[in-house]
């Protein structure tokens, strides 16, 4: 499915940018019996329902013409939210110095979840600072997301 996501991202990126938004991510998933194509957009002032509708209307024709997805699917355009999943290097780079939560596939030092300040990353590992600097191999990470301070 990653190939479909890459194709869709390349297809809609310019259109999304011309409309005044940043393309944050594209996700193609099967949930139950249904397929969903989710396009996440962002802008400095936040995303409204009208923004999502505008982007949806403008990329729908591009997607139909390209016909990358053979199954019936639902198109959803959304904000990545306040607490964002960090899947790409550009996401990690934008969040250096911010608090993140890292979930692991299997326990490391007896834990499957860590929180700390994102300090650094490379193609092999992510470093966070909690009580000490902790370097976690990327192959062991199931998810990294930002943590919003609600106080």
């Amino acid at each position: 499915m990653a190939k479909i996501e890459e194709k869709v991202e390349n297809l809609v990126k310019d259109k999304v940018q011309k409309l005044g938004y940043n393309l944050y991510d594209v996700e193609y998933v099967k949930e139950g019996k249904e397929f969903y194509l989710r396009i996440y957009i962002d802008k400095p002032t936040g995303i409204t329902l009208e923004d999502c509708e505008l982007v949806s209307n403008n990329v729908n024709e591009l997607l139909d013409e390209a016909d990358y997805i053979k199954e019936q699917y639902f198109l959803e355009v959304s904000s990545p939210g306040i607490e964002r999943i960090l899947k790409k290097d550009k996401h990690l780079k934008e969040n250096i110095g911010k608090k993140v939560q890292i979930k692991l596939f299997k326990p490391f030092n007896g834990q499957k979840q860590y929180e700390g300040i994102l300090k650094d990353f490379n193609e092999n590992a992510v470093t966070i600072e909690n009580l000490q600097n902790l370097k976690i191999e990327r192959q062991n990470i199931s998810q990294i997301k930002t943590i919003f301070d609600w106080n």
Side-chain angles (χ1 to χ4, degrees):
M1 288 194 200
K3 190 171 184 171
I4 288 174
E5 292 167 347
E6 289 174 26
K7 284 181 171 184
V8 169
E9 187 169 329
N10 290 330
L11 178 69
V12 303
K13 186 176 184 176
D14 289 341
K15 177 62 94 174
V16 169
Q17 287 176 341
K18 285 178 186 171
L19 292 169
Y21 307 99
N22 297 318
L23 180 61
Y24 186 81
D25 199 14
V26 173
E27 180 181 61
Y28 183 62
V29 294
K30 184 176 185 184
E31 294 177 1
K33 295 180 182 180
E34 309 293 345
F35 288 90
Y36 294 88
L37 177 63
R38 295 188 176 112
I39 298 175
Y40 296 96
I41 59 172
D42 198 19
K43 68 178 180 183
T45 57
I47 296 299
T48 66
L49 186 58
E50 290 77 20
D51 295 326
C52 295
E53 183 179 11
L54 177 66
V55 170
S56 179
N57 291 338
N58 277 271
V59 301
N60 204 22
E61 189 174 316
L62 290 174
L63 293 166
D64 286 346
E65 287 174 10
D67 200 26
Y68 294 145
I69 303 171
K70 302 306 177 199
E71 303 88 5
Q72 180 181 343
Y73 66 93
F74 295 97
L75 173 63
E76 295 179 351
V77 178
S78 175
S79 160
I82 292 175
E83 295 188 334
R84 297 166 180 224
I85 295 175
L86 310 177
K87 289 177 22 181
K88 300 176 181 182
D89 284 354
K90 72 176 186 175
H91 299 155
L92 292 168
K93 186 176 181 179
E94 292 167 353
N95 287 282
I96 295 285
K98 295 184 182 168
K99 191 171 184 181
V100 297
Q101 177 187 75
I102 297 179
K103 293 182 179 180
L104 306 174
F105 289 113
K106 59 184 179 183
F108 172 71
N109 291 341
Q111 290 183 238
K112 283 188 73 176
Q113 183 172 302
Y114 289 90
E115 290 183 5
I117 304 300
L118 179 60
K119 288 295 182 185
D120 196 16
F121 71 94
N122 61 37
E123 65 184 40
N124 299 315
V126 171
T127 303
I128 61 169
E129 180 183 303
N130 48 19
L131 299 176
Q132 78 254 359
N133 279 344
L134 183 64
K135 191 173 193 174
I136 302 172
E137 298 295 317
R138 285 178 85 164
Q139 68 185 14
N140 297 328
I141 297 172
S142 65
Q143 183 186 73
I144 305 174
K145 73 174 189 171
T146 59
I147 299 175
F148 183 76
D149 183 6
W150 294 95
N151 294 324

